[in-house]
Amino acid sequence: GGKGKGRRYKPTQVRNKVEEVGSRPMAVGRQMRSLSDKFRSMANFDRTNLSRKLNESNNNNSDIHFVNVEVGEHNSSSINGTDDSPTKKRHSTSYFKINDIIENTKGKAISIPSSQFNIPTLPKGRKLTFNILSTWGDPYYVGLMGIDLFDGSGHPITLDNVDRQLSADPPDINMLPEYDHDPRTVDNLMDGINHTCDDLHAWLAPFTPGSNHLIVMDLNNETTISMIRIWNYNKSRIHSYRGARYVEILLGNQIIFKGEVKRAAGEIVAEDEDEG
């Protein structure tokens, strides 16, 4: 018989081919293990998180979303002041100097700090800081589903390197000793998947009443901001109380927003009814 005309490989080429092919199932295996670890960590969180008893005890309590709104004296932010430690407690009010009277779901009038604020027109800067001052009721955890930014021409703003340009303090619940591999990390805020109830596209961090909870973005360059859309935590109706409520936003050293962010619906709703 004649010699085969198939392509011949040198021994090193054969070895490289085998390693290349063999690496694919290994990579898939690592991805599967990583995903399995994430779901295992979230399941552990669901069983052991501190707010689970609060949810159970407040199942029929329509006032749950007022549990960390202080009446009479509201602790405001110190991130634009002389306090160098953003995690220290705050005991003075500087921004909210008037109160709004609102009616809760039981018809009772209560006093809360006013969210009135004159938003500057087309502010420009590079460092964008979000400071979450309170949640919609959960005293232990705070979360968001995403953040959309738009430049002066109305175009979406993206980050070239999310890992380097986006950070949070506290970072996420993986900082707690009882949790690891939880996928609800701050990079999810810029993944573009915001209209969702999926934990894999959320950010969740420990919440401490009276402290700052910061999300910091280093934009690619000096940028004019025309609009910011915050998608609040939306896992479910009861978990929506982990969403941010009072928020201050700085662009550079200029405060460009301070006030209340709407609580999410806790479900996927039509875009024209969106509560994110």
Side-chain angles (χ1 to χ4, degrees), residues 119-130 147-159 165 190 216-230 249-257:
I119 299 175
T121 302
L122 298 178
K124 185 175 183 179
R126 178 163 182 169
K127 182 181 179 182
L128 190 63
T129 304
F130 298 78
I147 298 174
D148 288 333
L149 307 175
F150 299 88
D151 65 19
S153 301
H155 298 135
I157 298 172
T158 59
L159 303 180
Q165 295 174 249
M190 296 295 287
V216 181
M217 294 183 185
D218 178 15
L219 305 179
N220 300 323
N221 44 52
E222 291 281 317
T223 304
T224 298
I225 304 291
S226 63
M227 187 175 77
I228 298 174
R229 180 188 293 133
I230 297 176
I249 305 176
L250 280 76
L251 185 58
N253 293 321
Q254 179 187 13
I255 299 175
I256 62 173
F257 175 82

